[in-house]
Amino acid sequence: MLKPLLLSLSLLSTQAFAAWQLDNDASQLSFTSIKKNSIAENHHFEKLAAQIDDNQLSMVIELASVESLIPIRNERMQKMLFNVAKFPKAVIEADLAPYLGSLKLGHQVLKSVPVTLNLHGQKQQLMLDLAVVQTARQLIVSPTKAVLVNATDYKLEQGIEALRKIAGLASIAKSVPVTFNLVFNQQDF
């Protein structure tokens, strides 16, 4: 009886026994702000946490980890834009069951995936065009084009206006392109 059970279990996909944990050091999530209608600056978040378990993606972005390479700007974005005292994290969730099933080791899969972004107390669904590659022990996910996040959808306009005033700028764009490269390591059970 034990032998047929072991044989059956060995025939199942390794994904059934695995979860995927984000490798924060190998991953990045960045956005580009545009001021004065023509000056673009890249920023990123240093602390990301994510896992894919039972085909469900759950990702947390620590908003206080925003890095603009200018300490006072980091502090202003934390307080005035993101209001990290009240909203310390952004959360992304997605059901990946329809997409992970078509993955084959070493091949790239291009998929349009609905995800929910909870940012600043507002939840919105976004469609992301993703390229996903599975290697022997990793899953690599990146967008095929930048994701546009509109500040108005997340009630961030007042924060942008406060940043614009304190910096003495004529304008700061309310829509930003976001890009990422996420590397997940397989966790066996």
Side-chain angles (χ1 to χ4, degrees):
M1 170 123 170
L2 184 58
K3 191 173 183 178
L5 177 62
L6 291 175
L7 179 59
S8 297
L9 291 174
S10 70
L11 295 175
L12 292 174
S13 166
T14 58
Q15 285 187 356
F17 298 103
W20 300 92
Q21 191 72 36
L22 185 74
D23 182 340
N24 190 70
D25 293 335
S27 301
Q28 62 84 22
L29 185 146
S30 62
F31 64 98
T32 303
S33 66
I34 301 170
K35 62 185 182 183
K36 298 182 184 179
N37 295 323
S38 63
I39 300 171
E41 297 174 312
N42 290 320
H43 317 289
H44 68 275
F45 294 96
E46 294 188 327
K47 293 183 182 175
L48 309 171
Q51 65 182 25
I52 300 169
D53 198 6
D54 291 330
N55 294 323
Q56 299 296 311
L57 167 70
S58 177
M59 181 172 176
V60 175
I61 303 163
E62 297 288 340
L63 298 175
S65 74
V66 66
E67 181 56 68
S68 68
L69 303 179
I70 299 174
I72 188 68
R73 183 167 52 196
N74 294 347
E75 184 180 316
R76 288 174 178 169
M77 282 198 283
Q78 291 165 6
K79 290 180 181 176
M80 301 168 118
L81 178 62
F82 296 125
N83 187 7
V84 297
K86 187 173 181 183
F87 304 106
K89 301 173 184 182
V91 177
I92 298 169
E93 296 175 325
D95 177 6
L96 300 179
Y99 312 101
L100 292 181
S102 61
L103 278 177
K104 292 182 181 162
L105 199 62
H107 291 95
Q108 176 175 278
V109 174
L110 303 175
K111 295 284 184 181
S112 185
V113 179
V115 302
T116 300
L117 171 59
N118 186 341
L119 172 63
H120 206 249
Q122 304 299 309
K123 272 188 181 183
Q124 299 289 330
Q125 188 173 63
L126 303 168
M127 289 301 290
L128 306 185
D129 294 326
L130 301 178
V132 182
V133 176
Q134 181 180 352
T135 67
R137 307 266 319 149
Q138 290 187 320
L139 198 62
I140 302 162
V141 180
S142 57
T144 59
K145 57 186 173 190
V147 179
L148 295 177
V149 176
N150 189 328
T152 305
D153 293 339
Y154 299 95
K155 299 194 178 192
L156 294 167
E157 318 86 68
Q158 287 181 338
I160 290 174
E161 181 60 15
L163 289 174
R164 185 195 68 73
K165 283 181 181 177
I166 202 163
L169 298 171
S171 66
I172 298 177
K174 291 185 180 155
S175 191
V176 297
V178 177
T179 190
F180 53 87
N181 186 57
L182 305 176
V183 178
F184 292 87
N185 294 320
Q186 189 174 29
Q187 306 293 307
D188 293 323
F189 296 102

